[in-house]
Amino acid sequence: MEWDALLLSRLQFAFTIGFHIIFPAFTIGLASFLAVLEGLWLLTKRAVFKNLYLFWVKIFALSFGMGVVSGVVMSYQFGTNWSVFSAITGSVIGPLLAYEVLTAFFLEASFLGIMLFGWKRVGPGLHFFSTCMVAIGTLFSAFWILSANSWMQTPQGWAWAEDGTMVATNFAEVIFNPSLPSRFAHMVLAAFLTTAMVVAGASAFALLRKKALAESRVALRMAVLMMALVTPVQIMAGHESGIVAGEHQPAKVAALEGWWTTRTQQPTVLIGWPDEEAERNHFELVVPGLGSVVNNAESEDVLPGLDQFAAEDRPPVWITFWAFRIMVGMGLVMLTLGIWGAGAWALKRLDAATWYHRALVLAAPSGFVAVLTGWITAEAGRQPFVVYGVLRTADAVSPVPAGSVATSLLFFIVVYSIVFSAGALYILRLIAKGPESDEPAPQSNQPPGTPLGAAIEEAP
Amino acid sequence: MFGIELSLVWAVLIAVAVFLYVALDGFDLGVGILFPFAKNARERDQMQAAIAPVWDGNETWLVLGGGGLFAAFPKAYAALMPALYLPIFLMLLALIFRGVAFEFRHHGRERGRKLWTVAFSGGSIAAAIAQGLVLGGFVQGIAIEGEVFVGGPFDWLTPFSLLVSASLVAGYALLGAAWIVFKTQGELAERARRWVKQLALLTALAMGAVSLATLGVDARVTERWGLTMTSVDWPVFIKLAPLPLLAGVILFLMWRGIEERKFLRPYLYAVCLFLIGYVGLAVSLWPFIIPFAMTPADAAAADNALQLMLCGALVMLPIILAYTAFVYWTFRAKVDDDAAYH
């Protein structure tokens, strides 16, 4: 392994997007949660919903801010580090990213201002409208970025132009490429579940400490409902995503399943230690034949193993294999907690189930872990290609010296560590404090400097 | 499609997006640049409150500028970004600090609050410096062979780009000061009035210096303006002379606007001043999208991509401008004396 611009650029991209993705994953779900809370409040006029809104909107503002700044970084890295990729694919996925800016980013950024600071300046209807616009903006954004990313996974609707760049022959095919529907559904549901796990953890923590009881009970129920209903759907969406990958990206599936040999009746490798040198798994624990069943194959169907692909065309097996297992593990954790919660709720024991509350606090980050490892599975599984089967990552990198990339990577690590640990600290502090239970008295004389604080006090 | 070159339409659209970024995020950054000159924490809070609801939308124009360049002119994007790698990363890192500081300043305790106050102004200053370096590096041209950047990592670092950088800091500070005049009242607004005057002079001097220095960047610029160090080609120059003259008039009007205690006018005049500098730059560099190396037609994406995006832009840009205007209208009140407006 050589520390050249290619490796450093890959590390930098992985590092910056790994940090970035957890914020959109959280804010997509949180924005919809806030819209639901505000809608329920307008409908029922119950103070709990308003108190919950005002609590979670603070956490939303912090996360959204971090998502924005780390997202601006992403939008420039295509050019700075992957300029050859940009030059070649610009005519195909450029428009998708342009549409993301035009339909999503401005919508989110503009209405966020009203959402946070507009309590006294617009009526409740317009305020609710702004919250909905922010929520819709996050979903639009997810759609376009996943369309572009899915096209990189399952490219279609393009052709080579004379100058060696790609052009779209059919934009509908580019946008609605084969892996988009399942990957978009999988990502949005992942965002909802990520938020549900954090909300559940924070509410359980408050209940354990006997704080803001009415609010925490309501929020816990909303989160449990989400977990119990959405986790099974999410598992199906993930399954569908895997089936599509099996059709279009067999090397990725072979790597994440840990299949080295092409055969019928592929096993499910529960755990194991893939060894790329020896081309086998050490210490593996398998269920024979189950892999083929899970991948919707008949018993006589031959499913490709990694031996079908030349060594230089295989994704990094160890990373893909383990990232996939951790993601699935987190999904099982969420499923268990969803069923457990629904059961406790049905038995009217949800508020007193102390062990359940403790488990929820512990599992609060499980959504983030699942999103990160799921993303690693998808992206590492696409290697060694940046556009699957078409353009190699090694051929996509910018002509920049390794020293420049090393410098930027080093600074990113330092800056992200400072900024995002501070952000995490502030969010955890807010969660530890919990939602306000009773209405704060409105003050006419606002302190000018704490806009968010003021926004909270201005709330009707 | 419309009887004109699509690449040209997109060059104009991106130029407009970048200008909107400069005019809007320029005052955000300017407020950050002026942060160290605030008297106390309350004034800093007022200054930040003057931009907090709108900064995020303003910064999105930068994403549209960058994303638009990628989408509409992938070859220009692919050549420029590696050439300006280090200043762009400086800008991104600076924008990170500045962006999170809006929220973090209110969550930090004693030391954290101080840290994020410094991060806000330091980030704003560094972002302005970096953007100046990017602009300077861009204007002076980059080394391209075929369609690929072949220069070194520090090619952008020249006395010229440092001059542009210093000028941009002064110009953004002027926009910021004029915005503070518009959005605040009392002691802070009074002081900001003085800042506007001082910074207007400084910006005018800087623009003059950058204009002269730009003439030296390439013989084609000198020819375009009809100006060399020793001679003036009057028939050529006379056509462009209205630009510097107009700048002088605007400077005078800005001064009077401040004297007559107008709220919004100083800011609008400052934007006009930037516009003139921008047009002057466009005149100098025309018809290149990467100075002296690539024209929009050379760098453009495929026609069907440009068409698809144009459809989106024609539908979405009016909507975006409408709700942006609505947001600004919603927050039209001065930040200090809130009660007076409700």
Side-chain angles (χ1 to χ4, degrees):
Chain A
M1 205 184 294
E2 201 185 324
W3 293 89
D4 52 8
L6 172 65
L7 180 65
L8 290 164
S9 289
R10 288 181 66 185
L11 285 175
Q12 179 171 299
F13 202 83
F15 179 77
T16 49
I17 202 164
F19 255 100
H20 173 65
I21 195 172
I22 58 180
F23 299 109
F26 186 38
T27 49
I28 289 168
L30 208 46
S32 295
F33 182 53
L34 287 170
V36 170
L37 285 173
E38 193 170 11
L40 286 172
W41 170 43
L42 289 177
L43 212 64
T44 65
K45 301 284 169 216
R46 282 182 58 198
V48 266
F49 292 120
K50 185 198 70 184
N51 294 341
L52 277 173
Y53 182 96
L54 295 176
F55 171 64
W56 285 103
V57 81
K58 286 189 255 185
I59 292 171
F60 178 79
L62 278 166
S63 319
F64 193 87
M66 290 188 274
V68 166
V69 294
S70 56
V72 175
V73 170
M74 299 316 301
S75 72
Y76 277 82
Q77 269 191 115
F78 290 120
T80 48
N81 295 78
W82 305 101
S83 66
V84 179
F85 166 79
S86 305
I88 292 179
T89 63
S91 291
V92 181
I93 62 167
L96 277 49
L97 300 176
Y99 268 83
E100 184 182 17
V101 186
L102 288 171
T103 60
F105 289 169
F106 279 110
L107 198 68
E108 296 171 66
S110 302
F111 284 101
L112 180 75
I114 297 183
M115 192 176 159
L116 296 181
F117 306 109
W119 280 112
K120 266 173 95 178
R121 299 180 202 274
V122 297
L126 252 177
H127 193 274
F128 177 54
F129 176 77
S130 305
T131 307
C132 291
M133 286 302 110
V134 173
I136 290 171
T138 62
L139 292 169
F140 281 165
S141 179
F143 174 82
W144 288 113
I145 200 69
L146 274 153
S147 176
N149 183 268
S150 295
W151 181 84
M152 290 160 67
Q153 305 275 353
T154 53
Q156 69 169 20
W158 66 278
W160 289 110
E162 279 172 19
D163 62 354
T165 64
M166 295 178 181
V167 288
T169 50
N170 183 339
F171 267 113
E173 282 186 15
V174 170
I175 295 168
F176 299 99
N177 61 78
S179 62
L180 170 73
S182 53
R183 297 185 78 237
F184 176 57
H186 200 41
M187 184 69 216
V188 170
L189 294 177
F192 285 177
L193 282 173
T194 300
T195 305
M197 295 315 291
V198 176
V199 171
S203 310
F205 185 71
L207 285 175
L208 284 170
R209 308 216 340 211
K210 310 257 181 281
K211 271 185 168 177
L213 292 173
E215 284 75 15
S216 303
R217 280 182 193 141
V218 167
L220 179 65
R221 276 165 178 73
M222 292 173 81
V224 167
L225 198 66
M226 177 68 82
M227 270 188 268
L229 295 180
V230 170
T231 316
V233 182
Q234 172 69 326
I235 290 171
M236 286 192 280
H239 171 71
E240 180 57 29
S241 193
I243 299 300
V244 176
E247 285 169 31
H248 297 269
Q249 300 176 286
K252 179 199 270 188
V253 172
L256 67 83
E257 292 281 12
W259 297 337
W260 290 97
T261 45
T262 303
R263 50 178 282 196
T264 61
Q265 304 256 348
Q266 290 281 16
T268 286
V269 183
L270 294 175
I271 52 167
W273 197 264
D275 182 338
E276 301 188 27
E277 300 271 306
E279 306 206 340
R280 58 179 287 256
N281 304 324
H282 302 292
F283 321 109
E284 58 174 18
L285 185 66
V286 301
V287 182
L290 183 64
S292 283
V293 176
V294 170
N295 285 277
N296 289 6
E298 303 292 329
S299 58
E300 67 274 15
D301 289 347
V302 176
L303 292 183
L306 287 160
D307 57 3
Q308 282 245 319
F309 308 93
E312 68 271 18
D313 292 343
R314 292 175 194 163
V317 183
W318 192 89
I319 295 175
T320 316
F321 179 89
W322 272 105
F324 178 68
R325 264 147 203 77
I326 296 171
M327 175 190 75
V328 172
M330 291 299 129
L332 295 177
V333 166
M334 291 178 219
L335 184 67
T336 312
L337 289 171
I339 295 169
W340 184 357
W345 191 351
L347 297 172
K348 300 194 188 306
R349 284 187 197 155
L350 189 56
D351 297 319
T354 328
W355 277 107
Y356 182 56
H357 296 167
R358 287 186 192 128
L360 285 179
V361 173
L362 208 62
S366 58
F368 294 116
V369 177
V371 164
L372 259 177
T373 48
W375 194 251
I376 292 169
T377 309
E379 301 301 282
R382 191 190 61 217
Q383 301 302 327
F385 296 100
V386 63
V387 181
Y388 193 78
V390 179
L391 180 64
R392 280 175 187 273
T393 310
D395 299 330
V397 73
S398 290
V400 285
S404 295
V405 189
T407 309
S408 60
L409 176 58
L410 190 73
F411 273 95
F412 271 123
I413 293 173
V414 173
V415 168
Y416 277 34
S417 306
I418 298 171
V419 167
F420 298 120
S421 24
L425 172 74
Y426 297 144
I427 288 178
L428 289 176
R429 252 191 220 163
L430 282 172
I431 288 180
K433 223 173 123 214
E436 296 289 330
S437 232
D438 33 24
E439 252 169 284
Q443 297 174 5
S444 58
N445 203 3
Q446 301 301 330
T450 53
L452 249 187
I456 308 312
E457 282 157 22
E458 280 173 17
Chain B
M1 192 182 188
F2 302 98
I4 26 171
E5 193 70 29
L6 269 173
S7 58
L8 199 60
V9 174
W10 269 102
V12 171
L13 273 176
I14 289 170
V16 170
V18 171
F19 183 74
L20 279 171
Y21 171 75
V22 171
L24 295 174
D25 210 33
F27 74 71
D28 293 349
L29 290 166
V31 166
I33 294 168
L34 292 169
F35 232 42
F37 300 98
K39 236 187 190 158
N40 49 35
R42 188 172 168 277
E43 283 197 358
R44 280 190 289 274
D45 289 347
Q46 277 177 277
M47 286 164 78
Q48 206 174 34
I51 52 177
V54 292
W55 78 271
D56 195 1
N58 296 343
E59 198 166 289
T60 307
W61 292 101
L62 180 69
V63 180
L64 184 63
L69 191 66
F70 170 37
F73 302 103
K75 287 173 190 167
Y77 182 74
L80 267 178
M81 295 291 136
L84 300 169
Y85 190 94
L86 292 173
I88 283 177
F89 272 97
L90 175 63
M91 174 184 85
L92 295 173
L93 293 172
L95 289 179
I96 289 175
F97 274 114
R98 167 179 165 275
V100 295
F102 278 98
E103 285 300 323
F104 286 10
R105 263 192 85 227
H106 303 294
H107 289 282
R109 295 172 187 160
E110 285 290 310
R111 267 187 26 223
R113 212 179 139 81
K114 275 187 194 137
L115 169 75
W116 296 114
T117 301
V118 173
F120 180 68
S121 68
S124 302
I125 293 167
I129 289 173
Q131 286 175 7
L133 295 173
V134 168
L135 178 63
F138 168 79
V139 170
Q140 73 193 21
I142 60 171
I144 292 181
E145 262 170 41
E147 283 160 356
V148 178
F149 171 64
V150 290
F154 290 99
D155 283 7
W156 46 271
L157 188 59
T158 60
F160 176 74
S161 64
L162 290 172
L163 174 66
V164 174
S165 205
S167 310
L168 199 62
V169 174
Y172 279 168
L174 171 64
L175 284 170
W179 189 258
I180 297 170
V181 169
F182 174 44
K183 293 301 281 188
T184 67
Q185 42 196 345
E187 211 187 320
L188 175 61
E190 282 308 317
R191 218 131 25 85
R193 281 201 173 78
R194 286 204 297 280
W195 292 341
V196 171
K197 285 186 181 174
Q198 292 158 356
L199 287 164
L201 285 180
L202 197 61
T203 306
L205 284 174
M207 278 176 72
V210 170
S211 304
L212 289 178
T214 307
L215 290 174
V217 161
D218 192 279
R220 278 165 280 199
V221 181
T222 327
E223 204 181 316
R224 172 84 28 91
W225 286 86
L227 291 175
T228 66
M229 284 300 157
T230 49
S231 68
V232 179
D233 183 353
W234 285 105
V236 176
F237 180 66
I238 211 84
K239 281 182 226 149
L240 295 169
L243 280 177
L245 285 176
L246 209 56
V249 172
I250 284 167
L251 211 59
F252 171 74
L253 289 173
M254 193 192 302
W255 202 272
R256 234 184 43 185
I258 284 290
E259 294 286 343
E260 290 175 3
R261 318 190 66 74
K262 301 288 184 201
F263 294 130
L264 183 55
R265 272 188 220 171
Y267 171 70
L268 294 179
Y269 289 131
V271 171
C272 289
L273 207 58
F274 264 89
L275 186 62
I276 287 174
Y278 202 65
V279 170
L281 199 62
V283 167
S284 302
L285 303 182
W286 175 265
F288 294 103
I289 193 165
I290 293 183
F292 324 117
M294 259 187 219
T295 64
D298 296 334
D303 267 358
N304 63 350
L306 295 181
Q307 279 167 14
L308 178 70
M309 287 191 290
L310 196 57
C311 294
L314 288 177
V315 174
M316 288 312 299
L317 281 178
I319 298 176
I320 290 168
L321 289 171
Y323 63 62
T324 302
F326 169 70
V327 171
Y328 272 88
W329 177 248
T330 303
F331 295 102
R332 64 195 176 278
K334 283 192 180 276
V335 286
D336 191 11
D337 200 1
D338 207 40
Y341 289 85
H342 298 277

